[in-house]
Amino acid sequence: MMLRRFLSSSASRSKFRLSQLKVIYEDNHLLVLNKPHGMLSQPGLSRENLTNPFSDGESDSVGEDLLTYAAHYIKLKYDKPGNAFVALANRLDRPVSGIVVCAKTSKAASRLASEFSGRRTGKEYV
């Protein structure tokens, strides 16, 4: 119910909405998202204009980066207490839109890092 309330709320200080998060694929280990252009993949060096999505669970304002959105999505969807683990397997620059693979467990993060660094997983830019 909290996820539905969050998705339907309209007031936010962030220019991005959790409802804009397009989940391409999700299982127990992976979360594959379509990152919109203009959004950071991970938090930038300056977080002064970002809000903490884990502060009260009721706020619909989240940070301007995909990683924070993904963690907030998991926290709300699965009603997780505390912070949710999410790690990026790849990143895209702010002006670029496209597919970003996230790990939902540390084991998946390690395996994905190995796949990407060993170039066993390909990237295609169009």
XYZ file of all heavy atoms in Angstrom, residues 73-114:
315
model
N 12.799 1.919 -4.303
C 11.826 1.021 -4.935
C 11.802 -0.330 -4.213
O 10.738 -0.839 -3.861
C 12.197 0.849 -6.410
C 11.547 -0.328 -7.091
C 10.234 -0.252 -7.563
C 12.241 -1.513 -7.272
C 9.646 -1.327 -8.192
C 11.657 -2.597 -7.905
C 10.363 -2.508 -8.361
O 9.779 -3.579 -8.984
N 12.981 -0.905 -3.974
C 13.069 -2.208 -3.304
C 12.557 -2.104 -1.869
O 11.802 -2.960 -1.406
C 14.515 -2.736 -3.337
C 14.866 -3.143 -4.771
C 14.696 -3.917 -2.388
C 16.333 -3.426 -4.993
N 12.950 -1.051 -1.176
C 12.505 -0.855 0.210
C 10.982 -0.809 0.294
O 10.378 -1.449 1.151
C 13.114 0.429 0.762
C 12.700 0.756 2.183
C 13.362 2.035 2.641
C 12.839 2.555 3.949
N 12.788 1.604 5.017
N 10.357 -0.064 -0.606
C 8.905 0.062 -0.573
C 8.189 -1.191 -1.080
O 7.224 -1.647 -0.477
C 8.461 1.269 -1.395
C 8.823 2.631 -0.820
C 8.430 3.730 -1.791
C 8.165 2.851 0.525
N 8.666 -1.748 -2.176
C 7.998 -2.914 -2.764
C 7.983 -4.107 -1.811
O 6.993 -4.818 -1.713
C 8.670 -3.311 -4.075
C 7.996 -4.494 -4.743
C 8.598 -4.819 -6.093
C 7.870 -6.004 -6.703
N 8.415 -6.355 -8.011
N 9.103 -4.342 -1.137
C 9.222 -5.507 -0.266
C 9.080 -5.150 1.210
O 9.325 -5.992 2.071
C 10.553 -6.225 -0.529
C 10.639 -6.724 -1.951
C 11.411 -6.057 -2.889
C 9.909 -7.841 -2.362
C 11.481 -6.501 -4.200
C 9.968 -8.286 -3.662
C 10.756 -7.612 -4.582
O 10.807 -8.044 -5.882
N 8.686 -3.898 1.498
C 8.473 -3.437 2.866
C 9.665 -3.773 3.758
O 9.525 -4.338 4.841
C 7.181 -4.049 3.428
C 6.685 -3.301 4.648
O 7.029 -2.106 4.797
O 5.973 -3.917 5.469
N 10.870 -3.448 3.252
C 12.108 -3.754 3.971
C 12.373 -2.704 5.046
O 12.310 -1.516 4.784
C 13.296 -3.773 3.011
C 13.354 -4.978 2.125
C 14.638 -4.927 1.317
C 14.960 -6.257 0.743
N 15.635 -7.153 1.644
N 12.707 -3.148 6.250
C 13.125 -2.187 7.270
C 14.568 -1.751 6.969
O 15.356 -2.509 6.422
C 13.045 -2.993 8.564
C 13.247 -4.402 8.137
C 12.666 -4.517 6.750
N 14.907 -0.539 7.291
C 16.276 -0.067 7.061
C 16.553 0.140 5.583
O 15.644 0.265 4.774
N 17.826 0.176 5.242
C 18.231 0.413 3.868
C 18.255 -0.876 3.058
O 18.561 -1.935 3.583
C 19.617 1.067 3.825
C 19.620 2.449 4.437
O 18.577 3.096 4.513
N 20.766 2.907 4.876
N 17.959 -0.766 1.777
C 18.006 -1.910 0.870
C 19.346 -1.915 0.150
O 19.848 -0.865 -0.240
C 16.870 -1.819 -0.151
N 19.944 -3.093 -0.039
C 21.205 -3.202 -0.768
C 20.933 -3.162 -2.264
O 20.124 -3.924 -2.780
C 21.923 -4.515 -0.429
C 23.206 -4.686 -1.192
C 24.388 -4.167 -0.694
C 23.228 -5.340 -2.414
C 25.577 -4.310 -1.405
C 24.405 -5.477 -3.136
C 25.578 -4.963 -2.632
N 21.621 -2.277 -2.950
C 21.579 -2.209 -4.416
C 22.957 -1.742 -4.870
O 23.504 -0.790 -4.314
C 20.524 -1.220 -4.948
C 20.498 -1.224 -6.463
C 19.153 -1.527 -4.411
N 23.512 -2.428 -5.864
C 24.804 -2.029 -6.429
C 24.668 -1.972 -7.946
O 24.009 -2.822 -8.556
C 25.883 -3.026 -6.033
N 25.287 -0.972 -8.544
C 25.263 -0.843 -9.998
C 26.314 -1.758 -10.624
O 27.455 -1.791 -10.175
C 25.568 0.596 -10.422
C 24.577 1.663 -9.996
C 25.088 3.036 -10.426
C 23.225 1.396 -10.601
N 25.927 -2.477 -11.673
C 26.880 -3.289 -12.425
C 27.461 -2.467 -13.567
O 28.572 -2.726 -14.022
C 26.207 -4.551 -12.965
N 26.714 -1.492 -14.047
C 27.181 -0.583 -15.092
C 26.572 0.785 -14.842
O 25.631 0.924 -14.082
C 26.812 -1.102 -16.485
C 25.313 -1.107 -16.727
O 24.551 -1.679 -15.957
N 24.879 -0.481 -17.804
N 27.166 1.801 -15.453
C 26.658 3.158 -15.295
C 26.483 3.786 -16.670
O 27.109 3.385 -17.638
C 27.657 4.013 -14.503
C 27.865 3.578 -13.087
C 28.792 4.540 -12.370
N 30.027 4.791 -13.093
C 31.193 4.203 -12.859
N 31.269 3.302 -11.908
N 32.265 4.502 -13.561
N 25.635 4.784 -16.709
C 25.463 5.598 -17.911
C 25.614 7.054 -17.512
O 25.215 7.448 -16.415
C 24.078 5.374 -18.533
C 23.787 3.989 -19.088
C 22.322 3.889 -19.515
C 24.704 3.661 -20.245
N 26.176 7.866 -18.401
C 26.325 9.290 -18.133
C 24.953 9.943 -17.998
O 23.955 9.453 -18.527
C 27.101 9.974 -19.260
C 28.559 9.555 -19.289
O 29.065 9.090 -18.245
O 29.184 9.683 -20.350
N 24.917 11.070 -17.316
C 23.659 11.773 -17.050
C 22.835 12.040 -18.315
O 21.628 11.811 -18.315
C 23.934 13.079 -16.314
C 22.664 13.893 -16.082
C 22.941 15.152 -15.343
N 22.335 15.015 -14.026
C 22.549 15.830 -13.029
N 23.375 16.827 -13.147
N 21.937 15.642 -11.885
N 23.430 12.537 -19.423
C 22.593 12.854 -20.583
C 22.116 11.631 -21.381
O 21.335 11.759 -22.307
C 23.476 13.743 -21.462
C 24.850 13.587 -20.966
C 24.792 13.003 -19.594
N 22.566 10.438 -20.983
C 22.273 9.218 -21.750
C 21.156 8.429 -21.075
O 21.134 8.267 -19.862
C 23.541 8.342 -21.855
C 23.261 7.053 -22.592
C 24.670 9.109 -22.510
N 20.226 7.914 -21.884
C 19.211 6.994 -21.367
C 19.588 5.586 -21.802
O 20.312 5.407 -22.771
C 17.823 7.361 -21.891
O 17.780 7.209 -23.295
N 19.108 4.600 -21.065
C 19.396 3.219 -21.448
C 19.281 2.255 -20.286
O 18.832 2.604 -19.194
N 19.703 1.037 -20.543
C 19.561 -0.062 -19.587
C 20.711 -0.062 -18.580
O 21.874 0.020 -18.942
C 19.543 -1.417 -20.330
C 18.423 -1.446 -21.371
C 19.427 -2.582 -19.352
C 17.043 -1.249 -20.822
N 20.342 -0.160 -17.299
C 21.315 -0.261 -16.211
C 20.988 -1.520 -15.416
O 19.831 -1.757 -15.061
C 21.268 0.978 -15.294
C 22.206 0.819 -14.112
C 21.621 2.236 -16.074
N 22.014 -2.326 -15.158
C 21.854 -3.567 -14.399
C 22.277 -3.311 -12.958
O 23.367 -2.791 -12.702
C 22.705 -4.706 -15.008
C 22.538 -5.988 -14.212
C 22.342 -4.919 -16.476
N 21.406 -3.675 -12.030
C 21.687 -3.519 -10.599
C 21.676 -4.885 -9.934
O 20.891 -5.756 -10.303
C 20.618 -2.657 -9.925
S 20.455 -1.011 -10.602
N 22.552 -5.040 -8.946
C 22.580 -6.260 -8.137
C 21.790 -5.996 -6.861
O 21.915 -4.930 -6.261
C 24.007 -6.634 -7.809
N 20.986 -6.971 -6.449
C 20.211 -6.846 -5.218
C 20.878 -7.554 -4.048
O 20.406 -7.458 -2.920
C 18.804 -7.406 -5.435
C 17.979 -6.551 -6.395
C 16.709 -7.210 -6.853
C 15.709 -7.501 -5.797
N 14.436 -8.037 -6.347
N 21.985 -8.264 -4.329
C 22.752 -8.940 -3.278
C 24.241 -8.701 -3.525
O 24.652 -8.433 -4.652
C 22.499 -10.464 -3.272
O 22.996 -11.027 -4.491
C 21.025 -10.792 -3.113
N 25.046 -8.822 -2.483
C 26.489 -8.632 -2.638
C 27.094 -9.735 -3.512
O 28.037 -9.482 -4.266
C 27.177 -8.576 -1.276
O 26.928 -9.748 -0.537
N 26.558 -10.930 -3.434
C 27.053 -12.032 -4.266
C 26.784 -11.745 -5.743
O 27.653 -11.944 -6.594
C 26.382 -13.348 -3.845
C 26.945 -14.569 -4.519
C 26.333 -15.832 -3.924
C 27.002 -17.063 -4.449
N 26.499 -18.281 -3.807
N 25.607 -11.257 -6.058
C 25.279 -10.905 -7.440
C 26.163 -9.749 -7.909
O 26.631 -9.738 -9.055
C 23.804 -10.530 -7.564
N 26.440 -8.780 -7.034
C 27.300 -7.648 -7.389
C 28.698 -8.132 -7.741
O 29.289 -7.692 -8.734
C 27.356 -6.649 -6.236
N 29.223 -9.048 -6.962
C 30.555 -9.599 -7.218
C 30.604 -10.345 -8.543
O 31.535 -10.181 -9.335
C 30.949 -10.530 -6.066
O 32.169 -11.154 -6.333
N 29.602 -11.151 -8.794
C 29.564 -11.923 -10.045
C 29.381 -11.017 -11.259
O 29.994 -11.229 -12.299
C 28.469 -12.969 -9.983
C 28.820 -14.095 -9.036
C 27.781 -15.180 -9.014
N 28.242 -16.269 -8.170
C 27.499 -17.285 -7.819
N 26.252 -17.370 -8.259
N 27.978 -18.228 -7.051
N 28.534 -10.011 -11.140
C 28.341 -9.070 -12.256
C 29.606 -8.268 -12.522
O 29.968 -8.042 -13.682
C 27.177 -8.125 -11.956
C 25.788 -8.718 -12.089
C 24.751 -7.780 -11.487
C 25.469 -9.012 -13.543
N 30.292 -7.843 -11.465
C 31.549 -7.103 -11.632
C 32.571 -7.959 -12.377
O 33.271 -7.477 -13.271
C 32.100 -6.674 -10.270
N 32.620 -9.232 -12.033
C 33.531 -10.155 -12.711
C 33.170 -10.314 -14.184
O 34.043 -10.336 -15.055
C 33.495 -11.514 -12.002
O 34.284 -12.449 -12.682
